[in-house]
Amino acid sequence: MKNQKKLIILTGPSGVGKGTVVKAILGKDKNIWLSISATTREPREGEKMGENYYFLNQEKFKEMIQQNLFLEWAQFAGNYYGTPLSSVNEKIKKGITVLLEIEVEGAKQIKEKFPNSLSIFLLPPDIAELERRIRNRGTEKEEAIKERLSRANYEISASNQFDFALTNYDVNETAKRIIKLIQT
Ligand code: 5GP
């Protein structure tokens, strides 16, 4: 039986491909559970409540902060994002491997609270490629794209604060490398 790690943090700048890598990981390893975050961001086309995110208004989100219902939370590009505490606790108690796909400030908070967690930072092949990916995704307006890109530079400078930094050249390869890190 492999010694599977229990709390996995996948972080990195917006557009680096965290979401697609997560999908590939979940497709390859059915024992991993992905935490669904809460956010105050508006749903993008096709996004569903409780599937992609719990979409909340600011009032509700702040209420949850006050009630300590988040494992971590952060502000990102004008919106709030947070990991609901109860579902993660429940899975961890059951011995299920939990994967968090979150931005850098939240990832730092989790690493501090859970030093035994495995934290992985995804890097883009280069910053121009990151911009191409965000633009090709076509989900953000120009202002939001600029905000995400300027934050990306700051986030990338924090990549050495995590257990591993992997460059995401190929989704499948990256997913395989992450599963290996989880299982060893
Ligand atoms: P997006 O708006 O593109 O879905 O997400 C923006 C950023 O927020 C991404 O880097 C994403 O990983 C991050 N994010 C998603 N959920 C959470 C969360 O629960 N906590 C934190 N800190 N960041 C999150």
Side-chain angles (χ1 to χ4, degrees), residues 18 37 41 44 53 72 74 76 81-83 101-103 106 148:
K18 298 192 292 291
S37 299
R41 159 165 89 56
R44 293 179 185 136
Y53 281 106
E72 63 70 37
F76 180 91
Y81 294 81
T83 305
E101 188 249 281
I102 60 181
E103 56 69 64
R148 280 167 187 250

Side-chain angles (χ1 to χ4, degrees), residues 2 8 10 13 38 44 48 58 72 77 85 91 107 111 120 133 136-137 140 144 152 180-181:
K2 283 174 179 156
I8 320 298
L10 183 62
R44 293 179 185 136
K48 292 200 181 79
Q58 285 227 6
E72 63 70 37
L85 180 68
K91 301 289 175 193
K111 198 60 205 168
I120 300 162
R133 287 183 193 176
N136 284 348
R137 199 160 70 177
E140 266 79 35
K180 226 180 197 169
L181 290 175

Side-chain angles (χ1 to χ4, degrees), residues 31-85:
N31 296 313
I32 298 173
W33 178 79
L34 173 70
S35 166
I36 308 294
S37 299
T39 183
T40 60
R41 159 165 89 56
E42 289 295 317
R44 293 179 185 136
E45 213 179 303
E47 283 187 331
K48 292 200 181 79
M49 176 74 173
E51 217 171 274
N52 304 89
Y53 281 106
Y54 297 103
F55 295 99
L56 308 178
N57 61 29
Q58 285 227 6
E59 197 187 341
K60 178 69 190 157
F61 198 103
K62 287 181 180 165
E63 204 179 293
M64 285 182 69
I65 295 174
Q66 294 300 323
Q67 295 172 340
N68 283 322
L69 294 177
F70 289 118
L71 194 59
E72 63 70 37
W73 64 271
Q75 274 186 292
F76 180 91
N79 287 299
Y80 288 89
Y81 294 81
T83 305
L85 180 68

Side-chain angles (χ1 to χ4, degrees), residues 78-101:
N79 287 299
Y80 288 89
Y81 294 81
T83 305
L85 180 68
S86 60
S87 47
V88 170
N89 270 345
E90 188 192 307
K91 301 289 175 193
I92 289 194
K93 271 189 202 145
K94 286 185 182 159
I96 295 168
T97 299
V98 170
L99 175 61
L100 307 180
E101 188 249 281

